[in-house]
Amino acid sequence: DPQQDFAFSIDRCSDITTHTFNIRAAMVLRHSIKELYVKFDLIMNGKTILTYSETLCEPGHSKLIFCGKKKGEHLYYEGPVTLGIKEIPQGDYTISAKLTNEDHVTVACADFTVKNYLDY
C-alpha cells in the first residue's frame, strides 16, 4: 500500500492454531495518534462471520504504549501471540483490520488471507 509503510512477520506459521507464536510489526506513522480505533472483520468463504471494533487510544484511557505518537515516529512491536483455538474448520479466511484516528483518517490497514485445507 503506497499510503503506509508497514512490515509484519510471523514465526512458525504452521503452528499458529495450537501454539504460541511470535509476531513482529513495524511502521512509520503518517498520521498522529491522539485517539485510535480498530475494526476487524473475519470473512469465511466469502461471508462476513464476525465484526469487532474497539477504542484503543483516547484521552485518559490509552490501552497501548504507542498512544500519543506523532506523525513520522516509528512503531515497533515484537512478542508472543496465542490464539487458543483447538481446530480451525477448512476454508478460506480473510481477516481485515483497519485502524483510524480521531480525524477518521486511516492510520493502518491490512488484509490477511488464510487457507486451511487438508490437501495442499
Side-chain angles (χ1 to χ4, degrees):
D1 182 350
Q3 299 299 313
Q4 58 188 5
D5 299 313
F6 182 76
F8 182 81
S9 67
I10 299 173
D11 293 345
R12 297 184 323 162
C13 191
S14 62
D15 291 338
I16 285 177
T17 59
T18 57
H19 297 89
T20 297
F21 58 98
N22 291 317
I23 67 166
R24 285 179 298 283
M27 72 179 294
V28 176
L29 281 178
R30 294 190 181 228
H31 304 282
S32 297
I33 302 174
K34 292 178 187 168
E35 296 175 18
L36 187 66
Y37 309 93
V38 64
K39 180 181 178 200
F40 288 103
D41 289 317
L42 176 60
I43 302 160
M44 179 179 170
N45 299 324
K47 293 186 178 186
T48 301
I49 60 171
L50 177 67
T51 297
Y52 175 79
S53 61
E54 185 174 355
T55 301
L56 299 175
C57 303
E58 61 185 347
H61 295 90
S62 297
K63 296 181 181 180
L64 303 170
I65 60 172
F66 55 79
C67 295
K69 293 278 188 177
K70 298 193 182 339
K71 179 179 179 178
E73 291 188 279
H74 296 246
L75 299 182
Y76 181 78
Y77 174 80
E78 181 174 357
V81 174
T82 302
L83 296 178
I85 299 172
K86 298 292 184 199
E87 183 179 330
I88 297 176
Q90 290 188 23
D92 291 341
Y93 297 87
T94 300
I95 300 140
S96 179
K98 185 175 182 179
L99 293 141
T100 55
N101 71 2
E102 65 277 5
D103 298 322
H104 306 288
V105 173
T106 300
V107 174
C109 61
D111 288 334
F112 301 96
T113 300
V114 177
K115 294 180 180 283
N116 184 34
Y117 295 100
L118 291 176
D119 301 314
Y120 285 123

